[in-house]
Amino acid sequence: MEKCDASGERSVMQRKISIFVSILVCGFTLISIIRESSLNWGNHSAVKKGHFHLTSSVDLEELNGEWEFYPEKLIDPAALENSNKKPIFLKVPMKWDSLYSFKDHLKIEAGTYRLTITVPEDGMYGFRAESIRQSSRVYINGEKAGGIGNPSINKKEYEFREGPFLFFGKSKDKQMEVIIHAANRASPNGGIVKPILFGEADQIVLQAAQEKQTEGFITAGYLILSLLILFQYFRQRHAKNELYFAAFCFSQSIYISTQKEKLIYLFYPDISSKVLLSLQLGFIHLSVLFFLWFAHSTFKKQSSIKITKWMSILLIIKIAYVSITPLLFWFYSLIPMIFMQVSLIGLLGSVYIYILFILFRAYREKVSGCEYILTAAISFTCYGAALGIELFLQIDIGRIPLFLFLIMTICLSLYIGYLRQLSFIMIDNLSKDLLVQDQLKNEFLIKTSDKLMEPLRTFMWHSQKLMEGKEGPLNKRQLKYILEMQSSGKKIDRLVNNLRHASSSINHSLRLRPVPLDVISEMVLELRDVLKLPKEVKLVDDIPKKMPSVIADSNILKEVIFNVLDNAIRHTASGEIRISAFRVRESVHIEISDTGQGMDSLYLEKIFETFYQIPDRSKHDGIGIGLSISKKFVHLMKGEIWADSSKGRGSTITIKLPADKNLFYEDKDLLGEVSADLELLRDYPEEIGNHSRKEIVFACANTENNQYLKYYLKSSGYSITISHDEKTAFEKVEGVMADMLIIDLNLGNQSGIVLCQMIRKRYLLTELPILMIGSTNQIVPILDSMEIGANEYIQKPVDKLELLAKIKSLFAMKDSVSQSIHNELSYYQAQITPHFLYNTMNTIIGLSYQNADRARDALEHLAVYFRSKLDYTKHHSMVSIEEEMELVESYLAIEKIRFGDLLFIDWDIDESIDIMLPSMTIQPLVENAVQHGVSKKKDGGRIKLSIRQKGNKAEIVVEDNGIGMSKEKQNQLYRGYNHRIGFINPYTKVKLIKNATFELISEEGKGTKVIITMPNER
């Protein structure tokens, strides 16, 4: 509350000060105008009837009063005494427009001024003429003393040029005759329009130097102010009003240099008067234009967009034609100068009034910093009033308008500084708020990730146990769901870890040691196959072989490189992504450059902020934490990371890390550890029995580390077969009937990804587990999204215990699935046996009433069935084709006894086919053909049983010419809506076999055909 009161009191005090300063400006203006215009009492004309008497040479005198004047003549000084023409007396300073009434506005007005001066003593005297329009020539005692331009009645010889000039002369007999030729064309206000100063030569020179210094100070002030504000604008480029104000100050500095003292002559002494006039008009309009834009940009709520727009258009049109010198003077030749001046005053005056309206409205509405606005508005009002007095009353008021305009500019500059101060205060407050919010964000991320981690670990642990069959075997569909749950759980786990990394309050413990850049090259080689690169994009490894190692954490460095590469890939549609490295003194710079879309320099720092994403790029995947995590990790490794980019030309991200002092580095600790393990493992007795000599094929490059893994796995009781390329690895998988495949992604010059995809075309995830070894864990989500088919992934360097745990888990999963399939087949076997026995016993009972001998034969066939099948059903689910056919033959023999000639059987069996299939697969289908096909027809029917080789598979066909079935009934059978066990069980068992197919073809009244294809495997 006390703060608010203090702030309110301060605001009231500032308002009082601004009102006081505004009153001072008004008083200063009024007093200065009175003094400068010589309206104050006691000021009399010093020149009487063409004569001036100098009584004292201490002060400079203004030669104001009645000069002799000879209109329409430029009389030579020598001929003036003999001239019969009498002069008139013309007041100086004053325009001579009333003496001339030419209808032609281009006609030259000319005249001769004459003044006789009496001095107290002979000597050198000086004069300063401020404005003799538009050209003049001066004679003192008959000798030419100075002038500007070339006054002449002849249009060809006439040359206008305006500006202050000095001229000097010596007195003779204490007398000086001053004759001035003046000429003016196409411009009002001709003649001597400002006082001529007279005094000793030294005094005149000193006074002229002071005038130039004053104007130079004002010009330089505007110029320096414009540069300072322009520098402030380019540092942030947020406030457009600063840019407009800087342009206004610059234009004003150029305009002032073309006025009064004509400082521009110091830099361009030969500049023509026409070009000078174009510059004057051009920069005064530019100055007003930028001032208008500044006012509109600063006070948008107080200004009108439409008015600003139309005024800007008019000013720009005016600037366009006054800046083209030939066009400007062509207009002057057509239109009298007075009309041109009226249009100039009308346009600029309207804009000034509008700007003044904006300023006063801003003050009335009490915008921030309105105290500065009040003073600026009052100064601007006084400036306009002073200009009006000078223009309409033709009273010389000196530099008052210039100083008023300077005061206004200073007030507006202070206002801009005040706005910038407010911005700094606001930014400081926001920074403090952001620090608080950042801390809250970190706490939220940590608490959220901790809360998520606990149930996630429970979920992953239970799903892992289910996958391994700890709670009983799972069928294939159940295992599929478990694997999807595991994959989703891993993704959530990675996301939770990334969120923890994104928190700046987490302390990361890194193991900093020399890391060779070969690990990056190895990772890039793997990523070429793994990353989803467009066809038009190449990933180029340009890291020199002989590069020093960097001091870093190997795994963290890989994660940083991967994040940067991933970002480059997502924003590069064509071209290349190149990773290179070079040494700079005591550090190594790793550069990742791309030819992508690039970005504005505005975003070069922001892309490393947590959760920041460049606008209009939200369509790309990601949540904006990859680069922020990378920056944090690089700083923890005592390095730096920065980006360089331009829109449309790609980006380059540079990672600077300390270089190891040794050019070639070998991790002696790690090599010693590996060598010791190898020696130990070579002499270590192999564990036999625990894993029943599971066969593992290891596809890898021929390196010492991979040999070490081979020995370790052999010592753990597994049978290991090594392969160094895709082709031999695939052959060995089939040759040794592999139980698992381990693939190193860096498979020499070949791709481990391609090998994995080849294997998956033949073997399911549950049939042949695949464990992949790679350089970075960041590849895992990509492998999952590409559905390459790897069951598990492990990062180099391989941890022995982690490797063994993953292998055991995968084998447990495989055994669980195998047991599940066996149980499921046994279940269907148990269902089919009672059904078959029930139908068979009914057939024998029927035969016993008709033919005892045939019933006896049927019982013999049934005895064969019991003798060969009863023991099997207790232990097995898969049988050979011979055993299945023996069952089919026994069944059909029984049915043949029952139906006699009404049942015809066509056998087409290739006895060389040797395959395994689920028991009771063919017999139920044959039974269906008899019971639901042939037996329904009065004349009986035919059943054809065919077993033939078709390509690399065996084709089993059960066909009848019975009554058939409709499409609707077929769909019901496929969907399980019909409870015919004789169809459902064979169909379900066949679908459990990999690469096996089941096809039903039927048409009402024409019969039914079932086609089964089985792989040629036992």
Side-chain angles (χ1 to χ4, degrees), residues 629-806:
I629 292 173
S630 299
K631 181 177 182 179
K632 185 184 301 181
F633 282 154
V634 170
H635 287 171
L636 289 173
M637 293 187 290
K638 301 178 181 179
E640 299 176 26
I641 183 171
W642 65 86
D644 184 25
S645 180
S646 58
K647 199 165 186 179
R649 296 186 179 180
S651 305
T652 299
I653 291 184
T654 305
I655 301 166
K656 176 185 175 183
L657 292 171
D660 185 33
K661 295 181 180 179
N662 298 320
L663 181 59
F664 301 103
Y665 173 73
E666 289 184 346
D667 195 335
K668 296 180 180 179
D669 295 336
L670 183 59
L671 288 177
E673 181 183 337
V674 171
S675 299
D677 284 343
L678 286 173
E679 291 298 325
L680 178 64
L681 291 171
R682 287 190 183 103
D683 300 329
Y684 196 84
E686 296 183 4
E687 296 181 11
I688 302 174
N690 290 340
H691 306 297
S692 302
R693 303 301 296 169
K694 296 280 190 182
E695 290 287 346
I696 298 177
V697 175
F698 186 12
C700 60
N702 188 14
T703 63
E704 188 170 4
N705 281 334
N706 288 332
Q707 290 296 324
Y708 154 69
L709 290 178
K710 173 187 173 182
Y711 283 118
Y712 176 69
L713 292 174
K714 288 184 71 175
S715 70
S716 298
Y718 299 106
S719 177
I720 305 297
T721 303
I722 296 291
S723 173
H724 300 305
D725 59 73
E726 298 171 3
K727 184 177 180 181
T728 56
F730 190 80
E731 291 173 353
K732 288 181 178 180
V733 164
E734 295 194 329
V736 301
M737 298 295 290
D739 296 297
M740 180 181 291
L741 175 62
I742 300 177
I743 302 176
D744 187 346
L745 277 173
N746 185 15
L747 191 58
N749 295 324
Q750 298 180 352
S751 171
I753 299 295
V754 174
L755 173 59
C756 186
Q757 291 172 328
M758 288 169 57
I759 294 294
R760 277 293 165 255
K761 289 179 181 179
R762 187 170 180 84
Y763 297 95
L764 298 175
L765 283 164
T766 55
E767 288 181 306
L768 183 64
I770 296 178
L771 173 63
M772 302 202 81
I773 300 176
S775 59
T776 174
N777 273 329
Q778 297 297 315
I779 296 177
V780 177
I782 301 175
L783 293 176
D784 291 343
S785 64
M786 291 176 67
E787 297 181 351
I788 289 171
N791 297 72
E792 277 288 358
Y793 181 90
I794 192 167
Q795 182 180 2
K796 299 177 184 177
V798 177
D799 181 84
K800 295 177 289 186
L801 296 178
E802 182 185 4
L803 174 64
L804 197 58
K806 287 184 182 290

Side-chain angles (χ1 to χ4, degrees), residues 390-402:
E390 186 174 35
L391 181 65
F392 294 107
L393 300 181
Q394 290 299 306
I395 298 174
D396 182 25
I397 56 175
R399 299 185 184 277
I400 295 173
L402 196 60

Side-chain angles (χ1 to χ4, degrees), residues 169-193:
K170 289 183 179 180
S171 61
K172 291 181 180 179
D173 299 328
K174 299 182 181 181
Q175 293 287 325
M176 297 182 73
E177 182 188 46
V178 180
I179 296 175
I180 299 176
H181 290 172
N184 177 49
R185 181 191 183 195
S187 175
N189 305 329
I192 302 174
V193 296

